[in-house]
């Protein structure tokens, strides 16, 4: 039987409509079985998705798409090897079940079972402000009452994400945490390149870059404190090709933790990169009691599609706005006595230094190491640490009297402390040997003739807090604290801990407890984070400090390189830079380098000749005129010291109306110098700018035609030659809008 043409058309149309409805229903059904969780900033998206079996995966991490509904199409565009596990892209990969790669979390349950499976339960996003949001994702083991909540805190304008987890034990007995990372990222690309750092005392932030190959690359610290001494926690990963300042997709990241950390970078069988980062689980199996929660350290990252320059500016902006204490405020310039007197001083010498501080024109005098100890006077670094009473021979009238004398000289007073440490040759060690980290059956082994106090012990925390508190109780007008930390943990053992595997974690938590108490009582006092150089710099510590000490190496030529690398991760306002007698560079070079941050002096002012003193006094005034641009402006690294005769760094204010360009000769070979113009960045192409050289040494003249006017277009296309060479080794240019 044949249908009529009209009836056939109607039947065909009906069939197609029915098929469309079935397909649409099936699509909606599948869609309904999936939960998509976009974690977005202005330009970046990290997208999680739970499938019908509640397995949670990262389905996208990269540049934010205009249409969020298209994230679901991403994985269909990848035709890579098979994921045999189904959890390779998990945002928090557990150990012991079907995972075949490095886990983010590994546990032993109360019944002895070592397996863990984490299924998606629910998610929630809370809007904290116009810029900040917090997304939480709850995961649970279906066989055990064990939960993990993943947290993603987004800073929209800054394109920064902080990530951490809360691990909750609801079982009837203790669960042992063998690994407890903060984050587990999953990156897809053709190739990946890692830029990491290594170093030692006076050799901080030495960069190395390599293509990531299959296997696991681990960056870590096992030092207990001073976690950055050999390998700082910061790193970069470039996707598809090595990035430069203005081009390439690059991730800048770091663990926020002031003790042992660990970052694993693993290229899997699909050629995708897994980044697992957090507290180091080395010697740190952590028992978690029933109904208790363990909160991991935070993992911080920012992603840029326009090179390392943009990524670092994002991170610097975030740090000023949200992390560094008083990040958008001011800083005190200072004169430190350390390299003038070392341990050899008395009240008369210090009073003269107060006068020198005023003469120099800086804000504050900083009294460094050596002011304490009586039974064991602090006349060298082998005695006195822990005995925080004023040395009666050096300071018979006490710190309060010095503060009063400094105030009379119209300068502020700051002081050095190292309250976490103890010399075996001290009254504290004699009275409280149980407060010291040391193995009872091993010989003591010293780092700079000292040992660590056991900050896992609440009594020790009270003591360390009391060191700071008593100073302010006696001398409320103390205006600055330099907090040092020169030792690492050898022979790790705590007389306080019932389980020694908790020590490394509990020490750091104890430190934070002390710092929280200090900031609760003294919220605004500036404090420098120091550790034998830049060996403890991280964003968990910097929330309690206004600045950090990048390195004991103050040779200005070395500092150009050290400060260059730090600047990728930390803003200039946080970098404490002192002018010293280190190195062979002229005084002007030393001062110019120190201006790229928070300026300080550590030189014998009384020994400066008339020209040098006049220059330093003038330089302090010049610094006052440019410091806000340096501290709060956008930084552009124009020309690398690693690849050029001349290094060039630029800071531009938020309105692109004022800028400062620092230029340094870093190659002393014959005829080295700035042969080509250096292209500027961050200006407004439509504006006109007046350029002049500043901070000239007395009696010298600029090779730059002063007050010449250029268009922003010219300066950012052709550039400007600072005429840096063997006769002009350091050149600072001020660029101002010509109105």
């Amino acid at each position: 039987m044949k249908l009529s043409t009209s009836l056939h058309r109607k039947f065909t149309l009906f069939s197609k409509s029915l098929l469309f409805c079935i397909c649409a229903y099936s699509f909606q059904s599948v869609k309904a079985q999936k939960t998509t969780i976009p974690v977005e900033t202005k330009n970046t998206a990290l997208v999680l998705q739970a499938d019908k079996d509640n397995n949670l995966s990262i389905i996208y991490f990269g540049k934010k798409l205009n249409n969020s509904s298209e994230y679901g199409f991403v994985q269909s565009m990848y035709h890579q090897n098979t994921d045999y596990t189904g959890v390779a892209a998990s945002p928090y990969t557990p150990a012991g079940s079907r995972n075949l790669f490095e886990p983010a979390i590994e546990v032993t349950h109360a019944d002895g079972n070592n397996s863990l499976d984490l299924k998606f339960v629910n998610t929630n996003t809370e809007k904290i402000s116009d810029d900040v949001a917090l997304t939480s994702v709850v995961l649970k083991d279906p066989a055990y009452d064990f939960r993990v909540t993943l947290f993603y805190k987004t800073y929209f304008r800054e394109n920064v994400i902080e990530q951490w987890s809360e691990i909750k034990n609801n079982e009837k007995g203790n669960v042992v945490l063998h690994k407890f990372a903060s984050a587990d990222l999953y990156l897809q690309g053709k190739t990946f390149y890692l830029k990491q750092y290594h170093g030692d005392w006076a050799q901080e932030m030495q960069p190395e870059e390599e293509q990531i190959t299959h296997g696991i690359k681990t960056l870590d610290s096992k030092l207990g404190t001073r976690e950055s001494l050999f390998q700082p926690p910061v790193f970069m990963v470039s996707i598809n090709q090595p990035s430069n300042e203005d081009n390439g997709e690059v991730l800048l990241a770091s663990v926020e933790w002031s003790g042992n950390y660990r970052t694993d970078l693993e290229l899997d069988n699909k050629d995708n990169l897994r980044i697992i980062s957090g507290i180091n689980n080395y010697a740190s199996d952590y028992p978690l009691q029933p109904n208790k929660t363990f909160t991991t350290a935070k993992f911080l990252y920012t992603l840029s599609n326009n090179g390392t320059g943009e990524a670092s500016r994002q991170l610097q902006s975030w740090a000023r706005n949200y992390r560094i204490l008083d990040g958008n405020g001011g800083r005190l310039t200072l004169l430190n006595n350390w390299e003038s007197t070392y341990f050899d001083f008395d009240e008369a010498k210090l009073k003269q230094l107060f006068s020198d501080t005023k003469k120099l024109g800086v804000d504050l005098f900083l009294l460094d190491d050596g002011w304490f100890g009586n039974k064991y006077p602090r006349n060298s670094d082998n005695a006195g640490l822990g005995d925080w009473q004023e040395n009666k021979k050096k300071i018979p009238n006490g710190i309060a009297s010095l503060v009063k004398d400094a105030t009379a000289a119209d300068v502020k007073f700051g002081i050095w402390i190292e309250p976490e440490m103890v010399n075996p040759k001290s009254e504290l060690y004699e009275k409280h040997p149980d407060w010291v980290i040391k193995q009872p059956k091993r010989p003591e082994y010293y780092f700079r003739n000292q040992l660590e106090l056991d900050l896992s012990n609440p009594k020790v925390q009270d003591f360390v807090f009391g060191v700071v508190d008593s100073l302010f109780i006696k001398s409320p007008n103390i205006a600055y604290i330099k907090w040092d930390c020169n030792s690492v943990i050898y022979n790790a053992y705590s007389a306080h801990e019932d389980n020694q595997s908790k020590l490394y974690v509990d020490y750091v938590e104890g430190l934070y407890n002390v710092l929280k108490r200090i900031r609760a009582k003294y919220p605004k006092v500036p404090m420098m984070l120091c550790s034998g150089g830049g060996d403890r710099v991280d964003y968990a510590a910097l929330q309690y400090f206004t600045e950090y000490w990048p390195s004991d190496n103050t040779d200005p030529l070395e500092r150009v390189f050290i400060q260059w690398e730090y600047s990728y991760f930390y803003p200039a306002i946080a970098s404490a830079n002192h002018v010293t007698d280190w190195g062979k560079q002229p005084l002007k070079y030393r001062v110019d380098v120190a201006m790229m941050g928070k300026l300080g002096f550590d030189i014998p002012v009384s020994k400066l000749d008339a020209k040098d003193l006049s220059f330093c006094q003038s330089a302090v005034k010049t610094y006052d005129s440019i410091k806000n641009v340096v501290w709060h402006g956008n930084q552009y690294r124009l020309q690398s010291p690693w690849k050029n005769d001349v290094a060039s760094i630029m800071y531009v204010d938020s309105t692109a109306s004022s800028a400062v360009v620092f230029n340094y000769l870093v190659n002393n070979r014959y005829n080295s110098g700035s042969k080509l113009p250096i292209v500027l960045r961050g200006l407004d192409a439509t504006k006109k700018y007046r350029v002049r050289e500043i901070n000239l040494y007395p009696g010298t003249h600029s090779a730059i035609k002063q007050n010449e006017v250029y268009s922003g277009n010219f300066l950012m296309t052709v550039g400007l030659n600072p005429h840096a060479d063997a006769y002009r080794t350091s050149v600072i240019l001020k660029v101002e809008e010509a109105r």
Side-chain angles (χ1 to χ4, degrees):
M1 177 180 174
K2 293 185 178 180
L3 296 174
S4 68
T5 302
S6 175
L7 189 58
H8 179 77
R9 287 175 179 171
K10 289 180 180 180
F11 180 78
T12 302
L13 184 60
F14 172 76
S15 300
K16 288 182 177 180
S17 299
L18 181 61
L19 181 61
F20 175 80
C21 290
I22 293 171
C23 291
Y25 175 79
S26 299
F27 176 78
Q28 292 295 330
S29 178
V30 171
K31 188 175 181 181
Q33 292 173 343
K34 293 183 178 181
T35 301
T36 302
I37 309 166
V39 179
E40 296 179 320
T41 66
K42 183 179 180 181
N43 298 324
T44 302
L46 173 68
V47 185
L48 315 178
Q49 189 175 79
D51 65 16
K52 60 183 178 61
D53 296 318
N54 291 320
N55 293 310
L56 189 66
S57 299
I58 296 174
I59 63 168
Y60 181 77
F61 181 46
K63 186 176 181 180
K64 183 179 177 180
L65 300 182
N66 294 332
N67 184 353
S68 61
S69 66
E70 292 187 315
Y71 290 127
F73 299 148
V74 172
Q75 290 307 305
S76 65
M77 302 301 164
Y78 286 82
H79 299 275
Q80 298 173 291
N81 293 339
T82 302
D83 172 15
Y84 302 101
T85 70
V87 295
S90 169
Y92 207 66
T93 313
S97 52
R98 62 185 188 275
N99 174 42
L100 299 176
F101 299 102
E102 184 65 28
I105 181 170
E106 182 181 1
V107 308
T108 298
H109 294 283
D111 65 0
N113 192 314
N114 291 323
S115 68
L116 182 64
D117 193 11
L118 294 174
K119 299 290 189 179
F120 171 73
V121 177
N122 58 55
T123 183
N124 180 64
T125 298
E126 173 190 359
K127 190 78 172 174
I128 297 174
S129 70
D130 290 341
D131 189 40
V132 183
L134 180 64
T135 297
S136 59
V137 182
V138 179
L139 308 175
K140 184 182 180 301
D141 190 316
Y144 290 89
D145 202 354
F146 186 88
R147 289 174 178 255
V148 173
T149 303
L150 307 180
F151 290 94
Y152 301 86
K153 193 171 187 179
T154 56
Y155 301 84
F156 186 81
R157 290 187 294 270
E158 294 79 7
N159 293 300
V160 166
I161 300 174
E162 279 187 299
Q163 186 175 338
W164 70 96
S165 61
E166 288 185 355
I167 304 168
K168 180 71 180 293
N169 174 24
N170 291 319
E171 298 179 31
K172 293 182 179 180
N174 286 1
V175 171
V176 179
L177 307 180
H178 303 294
K179 191 172 185 183
F180 31 88
S182 306
D184 186 348
L185 293 180
Y186 197 65
L187 283 66
Q188 294 177 288
K190 296 178 182 177
T191 51
F192 303 93
Y193 298 83
L194 171 67
K195 184 176 181 181
Q196 65 182 92
Y197 295 89
H198 69 94
D200 202 337
W201 180 80
Q203 302 173 71
E204 289 82 359
M205 295 298 285
Q206 303 298 310
E208 294 177 320
E209 187 168 21
E210 63 181 346
Q211 183 175 338
I212 298 175
T213 57
H214 291 84
I216 300 178
K217 173 77 173 185
T218 298
L219 312 176
D220 77 339
S221 172
K222 300 181 181 73
L223 306 180
T225 62
R226 296 188 67 176
E227 82 281 8
S228 300
L229 177 60
F230 298 146
Q231 190 165 72
V234 294
F235 64 95
M236 302 181 194
V237 171
S238 296
I239 303 170
N240 297 327
Q241 61 183 5
S243 300
N244 59 34
E245 281 296 304
D246 302 306
N247 299 286
E249 187 174 10
V250 62
L251 177 82
L252 270 61
S254 181
V255 187
E256 299 179 47
W257 186 248
S258 305
N260 296 344
Y261 72 88
R262 173 177 169 179
T263 298
D264 294 313
L265 302 104
E266 181 176 25
L267 202 62
D268 69 12
N269 64 309
K270 299 177 69 174
D271 300 327
N272 296 329
L273 181 64
R274 306 173 69 247
I275 301 177
I276 299 172
S277 188
I279 299 171
N280 198 337
N281 57 324
Y282 162 75
S284 295
D285 285 349
Y286 206 92
L288 189 60
Q289 296 175 340
N291 302 313
K292 295 294 184 180
T293 299
F294 182 93
T295 302
T296 70
K298 291 182 172 66
F299 180 66
L300 172 74
Y301 51 97
T302 186
L303 185 70
S304 168
N305 290 90
N306 298 301
T308 54
E310 180 183 79
S312 70
R313 286 187 291 277
Q314 291 174 172
L315 202 52
Q316 290 171 3
S317 177
W318 170 84
R320 288 192 298 265
N321 291 334
Y322 294 105
R323 188 46 45 88
I324 294 170
L325 191 68
D326 197 24
N328 289 309
R331 295 294 184 268
L332 297 171
T333 53
L334 60 80
L335 175 66
N336 192 3
N337 73 300
W338 179 243
E339 295 196 17
S340 298
T341 67
Y342 295 99
F343 295 102
D344 182 19
F345 57 83
D346 56 22
E347 285 187 354
K349 283 186 178 180
L350 296 179
K351 287 180 181 180
Q352 179 57 51
L353 290 172
F354 297 161
S355 298
D356 290 344
T357 304
K358 181 63 177 176
K359 182 191 299 183
L360 190 60
V362 293
D363 303 310
L364 177 137
F365 170 78
L366 172 60
L367 175 60
D368 214 292
D369 195 357
W371 58 268
F372 51 91
N374 287 297
K375 181 179 179 180
Y376 301 102
R378 182 71 167 174
N379 295 323
S380 69
D381 66 6
N382 65 2
L385 266 182
D387 301 343
W388 299 100
Q389 71 275 151
E390 297 97 329
N391 181 278
K392 293 178 181 178
K393 289 185 178 180
K394 295 181 183 180
I395 313 173
N397 295 303
I399 294 296
S401 176
L402 290 178
V403 176
K404 184 177 179 181
D405 290 339
T407 303
D410 195 25
V411 295
K412 298 178 186 296
F413 183 90
I415 195 165
W416 177 97
I417 56 174
E418 193 176 5
E420 299 165 70
M421 305 296 164
V422 63
N423 286 129
K425 197 173 181 179
S426 67
E427 291 183 81
L428 180 66
Y429 184 91
E430 291 175 346
K431 293 176 182 176
H432 296 288
D434 57 316
W435 284 9
V436 180
I437 294 177
K438 58 174 184 172
Q439 288 279 356
K441 296 182 180 180
R442 306 286 182 191
E444 292 178 0
Y445 193 78
Y446 307 128
F447 198 109
R448 205 189 180 216
N449 302 308
Q450 63 195 51
L451 295 166
E452 296 270 358
L453 292 176
D454 181 8
L455 276 173
S456 73
N457 186 338
K459 291 181 180 179
V460 176
Q461 295 174 30
D462 290 341
F463 170 80
V464 174
F465 171 77
V467 172
V468 178
D469 193 36
S470 62
L471 281 171
F472 284 108
I473 290 172
K474 294 177 182 177
S475 309
N477 290 326
I478 288 176
Y480 186 87
I481 296 289
K482 178 181 177 182
W483 182 301
D484 215 339
C485 169
N486 283 298
S487 188
V488 301
I489 294 178
Y490 290 123
N491 292 328
Y493 179 87
S494 165
H496 166 74
E497 293 277 16
D498 58 353
N499 185 329
Q500 295 304 313
S501 67
K502 295 169 59 181
L503 175 57
Y504 282 124
V505 173
D506 287 356
Y507 179 94
V508 179
E509 294 290 2
L511 170 66
Y512 295 156
N513 288 340
V514 173
L515 292 171
K516 287 173 186 175
R517 290 174 65 185
I518 291 171
R519 281 311 177 192
K521 191 168 183 179
Y522 307 103
K524 295 183 179 180
V525 176
M527 292 205 307
M528 180 205 292
L529 176 64
C530 184
S531 183
D535 300 334
R536 200 192 214 173
V537 187
D538 66 87
Y539 276 119
L542 276 174
Q543 63 188 307
Y544 306 107
F545 293 84
T546 49
E547 57 222 60
Y548 71 94
W549 183 236
S551 178
D552 280 350
N553 186 343
T554 52
D555 180 321
L557 180 60
E558 296 288 342
R559 272 298 191 106
V560 169
F561 291 83
I562 291 171
Q563 291 171 202
W564 177 279
E565 297 300 334
Y566 270 121
S567 76
Y568 284 109
F569 303 94
Y570 304 101
I573 193 172
S575 180
N577 307 328
H578 290 183
V579 180
T580 73
D581 287 331
W582 279 48
K584 300 178 181 179
Q585 305 301 322
L587 179 62
K588 172 177 162 51
Y589 195 109
R590 287 181 268 149
V591 173
D592 287 356
V593 172
M595 282 185 170
M596 294 193 303
K598 202 225 59 176
L599 176 66
F601 291 82
D602 199 342
I603 54 176
V605 175
S606 61
K607 295 181 181 179
L608 295 175
D609 64 29
K611 275 191 173 181
D612 282 353
L613 177 60
S614 175
F615 169 71
C616 288
Q617 291 170 329
S618 175
V620 171
K621 294 177 181 177
T622 299
Y623 178 72
D624 285 341
S625 72
I626 64 171
K627 63 187 181 184
N628 282 321
V629 176
V630 174
W631 291 347
H632 307 299
N634 292 314
Q635 184 193 50
Y636 296 85
R637 285 168 292 271
L638 305 179
Q639 202 163 272
S640 170
W642 301 98
K643 299 178 180 179
N644 300 277
D645 290 349
V646 175
S648 186
I649 304 99
M650 181 177 182
Y651 300 87
V652 186
D653 74 2
S654 60
T655 63
S657 60
S658 182
V660 185
V661 187
F662 295 87
N663 306 275
Y664 307 104
L665 183 70
V666 293
N667 183 355
N668 291 321
R669 297 194 66 184
Y670 177 75
N671 202 32
S672 296
S674 56
K675 298 179 177 63
L676 303 175
I678 297 173
V679 177
L680 306 190
R681 294 284 185 268
L683 302 175
D684 185 332
T686 65
K687 290 182 177 180
K688 298 288 186 180
Y689 292 94
R690 183 171 286 108
V691 179
R692 60 189 177 92
E693 185 175 354
I694 60 173
N695 214 39
L696 290 163
Y697 190 83
T700 63
H701 301 282
S702 176
I704 304 293
K705 189 173 181 180
Q706 298 293 74
N707 294 314
E708 191 70 60
V709 175
Y710 306 91
S711 69
N713 174 258
F714 178 88
L715 293 174
M716 293 192 296
T717 304
V718 176
L720 194 71
N721 196 318
H723 298 280
D725 55 31
Y727 303 98
R728 289 166 47 81
T729 57
S730 176
V731 178
I732 303 180
L733 303 176
K734 190 169 186 179
V735 182
E736 293 182 291
E737 184 179 356
R739 300 182 186 276

